[in-house]
């Protein structure tokens, strides 16, 4: 009974959205004494885990297409609990994703789920998996039906809190759900502190009219962040116009940006508006702004200063109302110093500079993001389940990622394709072993050969020096794994061996992405 009260007690408290949902999942797991619980939110045609207990970390990055997962389809098709007999042959979306059976096919197990509804509309699903010889009987099903009401109440509160926050941030029509469906397409995955702090900061800036300059290494997701800024701004109903400055030839740049009138140059057969006009009322996204030719920089500066533009060949000027977001992977300060970028334009664009952290600084986010790429490839290649071997997870965590998320995307797609083309059975769980990833994990900064032991050593990619923090974390991971191996995965014993408090070991393992 006491878990009923846990959810009720939470209702009276203010809790961050993700925390509230996580506590719901944990209460359900305790109440039903089951191995794993998933709380999944409907997002168009897919279900997206928003909280999970007993599932591996990367499960949170997965998106399950309902049409491709018959168990989820059955759950969503009914308002009553759906139970799958232990002998059910329907493929399980969690195959290989359960904490206790990482990378293994699921043992014969009992599973049930129920669809959740908020204000009469389907919101998502709650799934329960029992792993140990125990079954969900009729009483458990009845209990789930009742329990779902409480879960729905908690979700409703969580959503209201979110809407409230959106309202406070001045987004007049706080239709959070409608908004999220757009956000869903450009979702920024990850729970690391650095990322969460940055997202929070950007949500506040989004609401202002300040120009934002997004900087960061190649492949960190600047484009994604730019879209999110626009979606979270008051201009989200208006267009966001993307200009790739690197692809603008100097001769055409002016007409592209500001438009031209008929006859302005040979070939100008009609009046044509430029990107500035197209973005009127909305956001102009100047991507790769560091590549803009100097002559164009001067004209851009004038447009930004006066809020006025002039079509090429026209006499009169036009007023435009645009907010500018710019992005570059260059160090613009250096470009200014070297005379490639105008200092005055730089200052105008970088009123609010935001540095997107490289992937290697986002801890176990790399596993979550990998999870979303695994699911995409699973579906693309028609594989039942695609998983990372534990050693591959370590390799991903230890690698330096000079190409950041874009590189991760390529690494996962390439590894999945390799696995399948080398004859992996697509009807089975396909596990990606480290050699399939092709990461340069054996190269050590000191040039020493890799020591014995199966844990991969930290990477130095493309000669980037290995950071001390990465090296220490890799060493911690290796030591914890060794202790776990020696104690047959007994965490309490491993903690004693390592002279650590058990709860600290769990915390550390989670932070290092081992759990
Ligand atoms: N946190 C994230 N979660 C999921 N996908 C991400 C995340 N960050 C980046 N991506 C994906 O990584 C890829 C690279 O991102 P993006 O193109 O935005 O990089 P960029 O910073 O603009 O790089 P460049 O400077 O080379 O243009 C995209 O496919 C993007 O969707
Ligand atoms: Mg880019």
């Amino acid at each position: 009974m006491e878990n009923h009260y846990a959810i009720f007690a939470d209702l009276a408290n203010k809790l961050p959205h993700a925390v509230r949902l996580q506590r719901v999942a944990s209460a359900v797991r305790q109440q039903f004494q089951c191995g794993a619980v998933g709380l999944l939110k409907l997002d168009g045609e897919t279900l997206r885990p928003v909280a999970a207990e007993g599932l591996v970390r990367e499960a949170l990055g997965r998106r399950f297409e309902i049409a491709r997962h018959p168990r989820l389809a059955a759950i969503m098709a009914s308002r009553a609990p759906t139970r799958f007999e232990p002998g059910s042959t329907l493929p399980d979306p969690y195959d290989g994703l359960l904490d206790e059976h990482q990378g293994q096919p699921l043992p014969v197990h009992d599973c049930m789920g129920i669809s959740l509804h908020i204000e009469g509309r389907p919101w998502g699903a709650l799934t329960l998996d029992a792993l140990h010889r125990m079954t969900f009987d009729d009483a458990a099903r009845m209990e789930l039906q009742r329990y779902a009401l409480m879960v729905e109440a908690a979700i409703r509160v969580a959503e209201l809190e979110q809407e409230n926050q959106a309202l406070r941030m001045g987004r007049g029509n706080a239709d959070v759900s409608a908004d999220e469906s757009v956000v869903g397409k450009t979702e920024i995955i990850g729970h690391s502190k650095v990322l969460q702090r940055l997202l929070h900061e950007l949500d506040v800036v989004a609401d202002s009219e300040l120009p934002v300059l997004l900087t960061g290494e190649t492949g960190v997701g600047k484009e994604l962040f730019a879209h999110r800024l626009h979606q979270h701004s008051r201009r989200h109903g208006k267009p966001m116009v993307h200009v790739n400055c690197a692809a603008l030839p100097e001769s055409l740049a002016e007409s592209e940006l500001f438009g031209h009138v008929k006859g302005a140059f040979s070939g100008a057969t009609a009046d044509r508006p430029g990107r500035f006009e197209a973005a009127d009322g909305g956001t102009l996204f100047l991507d790769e702004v560091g590549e803009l030719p100097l002559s164009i920089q001067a004209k851009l500066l004038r447009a930004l200063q006066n809020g006025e533009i002039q079509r090429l060949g026209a006499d009169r000027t036009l007023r435009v109302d645009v907010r500018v977001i710019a992005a570059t992977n260059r160090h613009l300060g250096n470009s200014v110093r070297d005379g490639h970028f105008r200092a005055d334009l730089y200052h105008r664009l970088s009123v609010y500079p935001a540095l997107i952290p490289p992937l290697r600084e986002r801890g176990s986010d790399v596993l979550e993001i990998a999870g979303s790429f695994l699911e995409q490839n699973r579906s693309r290649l028609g594989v039942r389940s695609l998983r990372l071997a534990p050693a591959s997870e370590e390799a991903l965590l230890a690698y330096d990622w000079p190409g950041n998320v874009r590189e991760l995307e390529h690494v996962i797609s390439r590894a999945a394709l390799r696995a399948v083309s080398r004859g992996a059975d697509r009807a089975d769980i396909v596990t990606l072993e480290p050699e399939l990833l092709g990461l340069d994990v054996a190269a050590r900064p000191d040039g020493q050969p890799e020591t014995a032991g199966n844990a991969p050593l930290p990477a130095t990619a493309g000669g980037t020096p290995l950071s001390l923090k990465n090296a220490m974390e890799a060493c911690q991971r290796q030591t914890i794994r060794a202790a776990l191996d020696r104690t047959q995965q007994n965490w309490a014993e491993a903690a004693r061996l390592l002279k650590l408090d058990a709860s600290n070991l769990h915390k550390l393992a989670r932070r290092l992405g081992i759990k």
Side-chain angles (χ1 to χ4, degrees), residues 398-400 440-445 456-460 466 470-472 474-475 478:
Y399 185 60
D400 231 34
D440 186 18
V441 287
R444 301 203 56 198
L457 287 159
T460 56
L466 175 72
N470 279 359
M472 284 186 350
C475 175
Q478 202 169 340

Side-chain angles (χ1 to χ4, degrees), residues 222-223 287-288 406:
K222 292 183 288 294
E223 200 174 322
D287 202 1
E288 319 268 9
R406 186 176 298 118

Side-chain angles (χ1 to χ4, degrees), residues 68 377-384 426-427:
R68 290 172 179 265
N377 282 281
R378 189 199 65 73
S379 154
R380 182 170 68 91
L381 299 172
V383 175
R384 168 175 152 199
R426 284 195 288 176

